[in-house]
């Protein structure tokens, strides 16, 4: 299926001719199995398909008991005219992606706050919103303070955590735990992608409650969500092999700029954070359209661009964003930038304008966020190993920030 305006096509074959990554995706796995990995972070990256499967089956529309499981959260948030998401670090980036999921699917306006700022914001900033807090541990000090402030204001609250017995899960009006299992490495991987899965499921349930989506449509979205773990499982070995070749060429970069539009901006932010905390390399995440408003001054061969250029061929808004990213890529190429791109499998346009291209399996625009972050996790991990860093215990960081 061709999109003539953008010269972009999806191929029906499982491999794109001449593309190394897509060949690896269909070859037998040659990488070290997750169970034998020397580092918890790599094991946990490879555990994501299983963690996602368990989380999705618990929450996806159409399941035997998912409506009942979601009912407390729907009761808390479904009739609210606005929502606030309060979170920190990677969880806040999940919230940024969740903002667009909730607005696009459920039609609820959402503000995403830094948890450390929410507690000190004016009580008049929003009228009677529902408050959703997100935390891997459920004990993060500033996010817990935000939850308690919301409850003190008489607001309905929901907590997404990776511990159903955590303080946040217990104190919130409703709890939606992820099923990632214990995450030992300090950089969040499987806890982050399972948060995205819960947020997508929440958006579908709220869309049903608010009359914006039929049950049949919700179940179609649910089937697309169920496909995600298998897509990641198939792509992981190829991504790892390509990144192991790519990473040495990036290890001495002065800074890396991660760029994405719409929901993919959240993934650009998360990719940059992973690089900073894992490999001690300076990185920043920006909306793609902001590059020419200042950050462009940094662009050079020593400051490569990591550009998320995926597209959903069935979504006109996604294709419009894609066209803008592609034009920016062409402009930056003319400027002499070094570009690593994430593109949708079958894209024949993006590889013409970048130095390296990581292909992402085809999915809808919102769900592709879960797919995109995984190679960025692998990139951060691989660069950390090249630079001799203890990737599971980066300096100055702890798993749960329990003091403000």
């Amino acid at each position: 299926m061709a999109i003539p305006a953008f010269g972009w096509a999806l191929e029906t074959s499982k491999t794109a001719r001449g593309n190394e990554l897509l060949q690896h995706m269909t070859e037998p796995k040659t990488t070290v199995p997750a169970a034998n990995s020397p580092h918890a972070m790599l094991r946990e990256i490879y555990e994501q398909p299983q963690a996602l499967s368990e989380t999705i089956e618990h929450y996806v529309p159409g399941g035997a008991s998912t409506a009942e499981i979601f009912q407390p959260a729907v009761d808390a948030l479904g009739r609210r005219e606005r929502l606030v998401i309060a979170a920190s670090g990677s969880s806040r980036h999940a919230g940024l992606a969740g903002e667009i999921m909730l607005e696009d699917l459920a039609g609820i306006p959402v503000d995403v706050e830094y948890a450390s700022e929410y507690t000190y914001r004016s009580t008049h900033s929003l009228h009677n919103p529902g408050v959703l807090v997100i935390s891997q541990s459920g004990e993060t000090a500033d996010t817990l303070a935000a939850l308690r402030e919301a409850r003190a204001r008489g607001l309905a609250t929901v907590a997404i955590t990776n511990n159903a017995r955590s303080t946040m899960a217990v104190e919130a009006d409703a709890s939606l735990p992820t099923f990632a299992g214990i995450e030992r490495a300090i950089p969040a991987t499987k806890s982050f992608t399972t948060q995205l899965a819960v947020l997508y499921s929440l958006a579908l349930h709220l869309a049903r409650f608010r009359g914006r989506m039929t049950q049949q449509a919700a179940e179609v979205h649910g089937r697309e969500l169920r496909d995600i773990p298998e897509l990641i499982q198939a792509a992981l070995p190829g991504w790892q092999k390509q990144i192991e070749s790519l990473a040495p060429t990036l290890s001495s970069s002065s800074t890396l700029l991660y760029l994405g539009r719409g929901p993919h901006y959240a993934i650009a932010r998360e990719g940059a954070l992973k690089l900073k905390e894992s490999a001690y390399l300076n990185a920043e995440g920006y909306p793609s359209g902001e590059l020419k408003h200042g950050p462009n001054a940094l662009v050079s061969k020593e400051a490569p661009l990591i550009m998320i250029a995926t597209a959903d061929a069935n979504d006109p808004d996604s294709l419009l964003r894609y066209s803008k990213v592609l034009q920016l890529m062409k402009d930056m190429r003319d400027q002499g930038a070094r570009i690593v791109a994430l593109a949708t499998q079958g894209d024949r346009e993006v590889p013409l304008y970048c130095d390296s291209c990581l292909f992402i399996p085809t999915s809808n625009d919102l769900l592709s966020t879960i797919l995109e972050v995984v190679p960025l996790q692998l990139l951060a991990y691989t660069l950390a190993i090249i630079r001799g860093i203890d990737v599971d215990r980066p300096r100055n960081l702890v798993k749960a920030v329990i003091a403000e």
Side-chain angles (χ1 to χ4, degrees):
M1 174 174 124
I3 314 295
F6 309 133
W8 185 72
L10 292 176
E11 296 180 348
T12 56
S13 64
K14 289 186 179 178
T15 60
R17 288 180 289 278
N19 187 280
E20 181 182 5
L21 174 60
L22 296 183
Q23 291 172 359
H24 290 318
M25 285 172 63
T26 58
E27 290 174 356
K29 296 178 184 178
T30 58
T31 50
V32 176
N36 298 328
S37 168
H39 302 103
M41 183 177 177
L42 185 60
R43 288 197 304 274
E44 288 159 4
I45 289 171
Y46 270 82
E47 287 169 1
Q48 286 178 110
Q50 181 64 32
L52 281 163
S53 291
E54 293 183 10
T55 300
I56 291 165
E57 288 309 312
H58 195 74
Y59 291 122
V60 70
S65 60
T66 52
E68 181 181 345
I69 290 168
F70 261 103
Q71 195 57 51
V74 170
D75 290 343
L77 303 180
R79 293 182 176 84
R80 302 286 169 163
E81 293 305 312
R82 301 184 69 89
L83 301 181
V84 170
I85 295 176
S88 304
S90 290
S91 294
R92 183 175 182 275
H93 299 154
L96 289 172
E99 172 186 15
I100 297 179
M101 294 173 184
L102 288 160
E103 290 184 346
D104 285 5
L105 297 174
I108 307 176
V110 178
D111 283 351
V112 181
E113 296 271 10
Y114 288 100
S116 57
E117 294 294 321
Y118 173 79
T119 306
Y120 308 104
R121 288 286 302 275
S122 167
T123 57
H124 303 294
S125 58
L126 284 176
H127 179 65
N128 199 30
V131 176
L132 174 63
V133 296
I134 309 173
S135 165
Q136 182 272 324
S137 67
E139 307 294 344
T140 309
D142 43 19
T143 310
L144 181 57
L147 171 65
R148 289 171 172 168
E149 177 63 22
R151 288 181 59 79
R153 295 179 189 182
L155 303 178
T157 57
V158 175
I160 296 175
T161 75
N162 194 36
N163 183 351
R165 295 181 296 276
S166 65
T167 305
M168 285 182 217
V170 171
E171 292 191 9
D173 295 309
S175 170
L176 297 174
T178 59
F179 292 86
I182 296 172
E183 192 175 59
R184 299 189 183 282
I186 287 177
T189 53
K190 60 181 181 174
S191 63
F192 177 80
T193 49
T194 52
Q195 286 171 352
L196 293 178
V198 173
L199 286 162
Y200 192 80
S201 298
L202 175 62
L204 295 178
H205 283 276
L206 289 174
R208 281 287 297 129
F209 177 80
R210 294 166 67 88
R212 291 179 56 91
M213 188 178 292
T214 65
Q215 183 64 28
Q216 290 78 9
E219 290 178 4
V220 169
H221 282 279
R223 286 195 291 273
E224 292 178 324
L225 179 58
R226 278 192 171 105
D227 289 340
I228 295 298
E230 185 177 348
L231 294 174
I232 294 174
Q233 186 73 46
L236 267 167
W239 283 336
Q240 185 176 350
K241 187 166 186 178
Q242 189 176 9
I243 287 167
E244 285 172 352
S245 298
L246 167 66
T249 68
L250 301 175
S251 62
S252 60
S253 300
S254 60
T255 192
L256 291 90
L257 301 179
Y258 288 66
L259 305 171
R261 278 183 175 266
H264 315 288
Y265 163 59
I267 304 308
R269 290 288 302 264
E270 175 63 10
L273 177 61
K274 280 288 147 300
L275 196 68
K276 283 185 275 197
E277 64 185 358
S278 301
Y280 307 163
L281 281 169
N282 187 52
E284 299 296 335
Y286 288 100
S288 300
E290 284 295 299
L291 183 67
K292 293 184 178 180
H293 295 275
N296 192 26
L298 297 172
V299 175
S300 67
K301 293 294 184 183
E302 291 72 40
L305 303 177
I306 311 295
M307 300 186 69
I308 301 176
T310 54
D312 179 353
N314 298 310
D315 183 341
D317 290 336
S318 176
L319 290 174
L320 177 60
R321 286 192 291 268
Y322 169 83
S323 70
K324 298 296 185 181
V325 172
L326 190 62
Q327 184 57 54
L328 180 64
M329 191 175 295
K330 294 174 182 177
D331 293 346
M332 292 300 101
R333 185 77 166 186
D334 292 342
Q335 186 178 301
R338 183 172 181 199
I339 300 172
V340 176
L342 274 60
T344 303
Q345 180 176 326
D347 189 330
R348 295 195 291 253
E349 206 52 24
V350 168
L352 300 177
Y353 302 102
C354 63
D355 298 275
S356 300
C357 190
L358 295 160
F359 282 93
I360 306 301
T362 303
S363 186
N364 76 48
D365 199 45
L366 294 173
L367 286 179
S368 63
T369 56
I370 304 177
L371 299 166
E372 292 159 359
V373 75
V374 178
L376 299 183
Q377 294 168 349
L378 280 169
L379 180 61
Y381 166 80
T382 306
L383 282 167
I385 300 308
I386 289 171
R387 292 166 59 83
I389 294 164
D390 183 352
V391 69
D392 292 337
R393 291 172 290 276
R395 67 190 179 205
N396 304 330
L397 299 178
V398 294
K399 190 61 179 170
V401 181
I402 57 173
E404 289 189 76

